[in-house]
C-alpha cells in the first residue's frame, strides 16, 4: 500500500486479494486478476477484471476497451467450454482471409477455424492479401493479419485495405507481442483487434465472434 502511494504508475494489474489497497491507489488505469473459481464482485464502478490464466489478447482488449465496458466483457458468467473446445460450429458460413507467412502457423490457425465451420483463404504476405481483396472474387467477412511478414507487413497491408481499397471489414492483428507501440500502430492503420501468438483456439474464435457474430452477408 505504501509503495503504491509513493509510486507514479500509469497502469496497475493486481490480484483480487489486494483489491482494497489497489483501488485506493491513485493510478489512471487498473485491472483486477482473479481465478475462475472466485465470484466476481458486484459493486458498481469496479475495475475491469480478467480471469487467470491471463492471455495477451485478453490484456490487449482490456486495455483498449471503452471505459465501463471492460469489466462486464472480461469476466464470463460461467466456466462453460469456449467456442473452440465446445465443438460448436460458431463460425459456420463465415469466410476468413488468413495472412500469414509461416506454414506451421497457417496450418494451426486454419485447422482451428475450419473446425468451427469457417472457410479459410490463405495469403502468404500482405501484398497477396491486398491483391486477394482487390480482386473481390470471393467475399470475406474478416481478415486475420500477421504483423510481421515479408514483401509487405501487416501494418502496410491494413493501411492499403483501408485507404487504397476503401474496405471497412474487420482486420485483426496477429502477433507474439502486445507492446504499447504495437498497439498504437494497430490503431493508427485501422486494425480492429488483436490475437496473440501462440494462438489459443478459444481465444481466437471468441475474438473473431466479437466482430462477425451479428453480421449477415448479402
Amino acid at each position: 500500500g505504501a509503495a503504491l502511494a509513493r509510486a507514479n504508475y500509469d497502469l496497475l494489474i493486481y490480484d483480487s486479494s489486494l483489491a482494497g489497497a489497489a483501488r485506493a491507489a491513485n493510478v489512471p488505469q487498473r485491472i483486477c486478476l482473479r481465478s475462475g473459481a472466485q465470484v466476481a464482485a458486484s459493486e458498481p464502478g469496479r475495475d475491469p477484471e480478467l480471469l487467470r490464466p491471463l492471455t495477451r489478447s485478453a490484456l490487449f482488449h482490456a486495455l483498449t476497451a471503452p471505459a465501463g465496458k471492460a469489466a462486464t466483457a472480461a469476466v464470463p458468467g460461467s466456466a462453460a467450454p469456449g467456442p473452440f473446445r465446445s465443438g460448436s460450429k460458431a463460425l459456420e458460413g463465415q469466410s476468413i482471409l488468413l495472412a500469414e507467412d509461416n506454414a506451421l502457423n497457417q496450418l494451426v490457425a486454419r485447422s482451428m477455424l475450419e473446425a468451427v465451420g469457417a472457410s479459410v483463404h490463405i495469403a502468404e504476405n500482405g501484398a497477396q492479401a491486398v491483391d486477394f481483396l482487390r480482386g473481390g472474387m470471393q467475399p470475406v467477412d474478416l481478415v486475420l493479419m500477421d504483423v510481421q511478414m515479408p514483401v509487405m507487413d501487416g501494418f502496410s497491408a491494413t493501411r492499403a485495405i483501408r485507404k487504397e481499397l476503401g474496405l471497412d471489414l474487420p482486420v485483426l492483428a496477429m502477433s507474439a507481442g502486445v507492446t504499447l507501440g504495437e498497439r498504437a500502430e494497430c490503431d493508427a492503420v485501422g486494425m480492429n483487434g488483436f490475437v496473440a501468438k501462440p494462438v489459443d483456439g478459444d481465444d481466437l474464435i471468441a475474438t473473431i465472434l466479437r466482430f462477425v457474430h451479428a453480421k449477415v452477408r448479402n
Side-chain angles (χ1 to χ4, degrees):
L4 285 175
R6 293 192 303 267
N8 182 23
Y9 297 113
D10 296 311
L11 170 67
L12 173 62
I13 301 176
Y14 63 91
D15 184 86
S16 58
S17 64
L18 303 174
R23 290 171 184 169
N26 184 23
V27 179
Q29 190 170 12
R30 298 186 299 262
I31 295 176
C32 175
L33 293 182
R34 65 172 66 250
S35 70
Q38 293 174 305
V39 178
S42 59
E43 68 269 15
R46 70 179 186 271
D47 294 329
E49 295 176 342
L50 296 177
L51 294 180
R52 292 188 178 87
L54 180 63
T55 67
R56 292 185 182 94
S57 293
L59 179 58
F60 179 89
H61 294 309
L63 291 173
T64 56
K69 291 188 177 180
T72 55
V75 181
S78 70
F84 177 69
R85 278 187 279 269
S86 68
S88 71
K89 293 295 183 181
L91 296 181
E92 188 74 51
Q94 299 292 332
S95 179
I96 294 175
L97 174 60
L98 172 64
E100 167 65 66
D101 64 300
N102 182 279
L104 179 58
N105 290 342
Q106 289 176 9
L107 176 63
V108 170
R110 182 172 199 158
S111 298
M112 290 176 175
L113 294 166
E114 290 181 342
V116 294
S119 60
V120 182
H121 310 282
I122 302 292
E124 295 186 353
N125 56 62
Q128 286 188 10
V130 173
D131 287 343
F132 182 92
L133 294 171
R134 181 185 288 112
M137 298 299 293
Q138 301 183 66
V140 171
D141 295 296
L142 179 141
V143 179
L144 290 171
M145 184 73 74
D146 184 26
V147 169
Q148 301 296 334
M149 292 182 288
V151 183
M152 178 185 285
D153 65 29
F155 296 126
S156 299
T158 303
R159 190 178 294 110
I161 290 170
R162 300 302 188 214
K163 295 186 176 181
E164 181 183 334
L165 304 184
L167 300 177
D168 63 355
L169 78 168
V171 178
L172 305 184
M174 297 182 71
S175 174
V178 63
T179 65
L180 291 176
E182 194 164 80
R183 279 178 49 203
E185 192 161 5
C186 287
D187 292 339
V189 300
M191 289 179 168
N192 302 94
F194 180 91
V195 175
K197 292 181 177 180
V199 176
D200 172 81
D202 281 329
D203 187 49
L204 172 64
I205 308 308
T207 301
I208 292 173
L209 285 173
R210 294 177 58 227
F211 298 95
V212 302
H213 76 281
K215 182 180 177 65
V216 178
R217 279 234 305 271
N218 294 327

